[in-house]
Amino acid sequence: MMRALCLTGDPVADKLLTDDPFALLTGMLLDQQFAMELAFAGPQKIATRMDGFSITKIAESDIEEFVELCVTKPAIHRYGGSMGRRVHELALHVVENYDGDTEGIWTAGRPKPDGPEVLKRLKALPGFGEQKAKIFLALLGKQRGVQPKGWREAAGAYGDRGSRRSIADVIDAKTLVEVRAFKKAAKAAAKAG
């Protein structure tokens, strides 16, 4: 089940995320201390400024020039400089380890990787920790049809059916509001406890 993504509220940005796995991976990287929909719109900002979104172009670009492109207003993130460096580092990692084939993270190898292996590969990416990797695995499973054996268990609660816990559960404006409410309640509970 491969659905057209609706993560940003901008049809052009969502089409890029739907069509380009590295754009989607980049959006997940940027989803940190920043509104979800703005983080996932970051790849489209890069695409506009680079005359297209290309993992190879990003990886081969001069780091300082790429960072400058990322901090140009409106910046790709509230921390445009450090996130620009992370995007560049992520592109280099995928080029060096997967020959620039982002989908290789979840498809490369014989036998095909299972959910725990995909999670392990995601956690090995620059800027991806345990939680970010689990959310991205859930996003792949729920919205991109990438469902290796054991993916739901590997994604933890983010893989739960019907949850409204992360960007993996955002399919329209209504679910975006529901996820935001869940995150706000979870944050309040963490502060109180």
Side-chain angles (χ1 to χ4, degrees):
M1 166 207 62
M2 187 98 114
R3 68 172 49 217
L5 295 170
C6 184
L7 305 178
T8 69
D10 173 359
V12 175
D14 284 335
K15 181 166 179 14
L16 176 61
L17 297 171
T18 300
D19 295 346
D20 187 320
F22 186 68
L24 186 60
L25 191 67
T26 299
M28 189 73 239
L29 175 72
L30 297 173
D31 186 12
Q32 176 178 323
Q33 298 180 315
F34 199 48
M36 292 177 289
E37 65 275 19
L38 296 178
F40 280 87
Q44 182 58 46
K45 290 178 185 172
I46 294 169
T48 301
R49 295 167 191 176
M50 288 190 90
D51 194 29
F53 193 84
S54 162
I55 187 173
T56 309
K57 265 171 90 172
I58 293 169
E60 293 175 352
S61 66
D62 174 80
I63 181 89
E64 296 309 323
E65 289 176 17
F66 183 73
V67 168
E68 186 57 37
L69 172 143
C70 291
V71 299
T72 300
K73 292 188 180 185
I76 65 163
H77 192 276
R78 79 182 339 174
Y79 304 114
S82 62
M83 290 309 236
R85 288 183 194 288
R86 282 192 183 170
V87 170
H88 192 270
E89 185 181 359
L90 182 62
L92 282 171
H93 181 88
V94 175
V95 166
E96 290 169 0
N97 294 280
Y98 297 95
D99 295 322
D101 176 19
T102 305
E103 290 179 327
I105 298 167
W106 49 89
T107 62
R110 295 279 178 255
K112 278 182 80 172
D114 61 8
E117 176 62 23
V118 174
L119 180 65
K120 181 179 159 192
R121 292 177 183 187
L122 290 168
K123 285 171 30 180
L125 297 173
F128 276 68
E130 178 94 16
Q131 183 179 21
K132 191 177 291 275
K134 285 182 174 185
I135 292 169
F136 194 75
L137 180 57
L139 178 59
L140 291 173
K142 290 178 173 183
Q143 298 201 43
R144 306 308 301 146
V146 177
Q147 300 179 340
K149 185 177 181 184
W151 74 270
R152 280 193 193 275
E153 295 79 9
Y158 297 107
D160 291 350
R161 284 182 175 81
S163 68
R164 292 292 183 260
R165 155 180 317 271
S166 73
I167 193 73
D169 304 311
V170 175
I171 56 170
D172 54 26
K174 179 179 179 274
T175 52
L176 175 66
V177 170
E178 291 170 357
V179 168
R180 201 179 303 292
F182 174 87
K183 287 181 156 204
K184 186 176 180 181
K187 201 174 191 177
K191 275 187 180 175

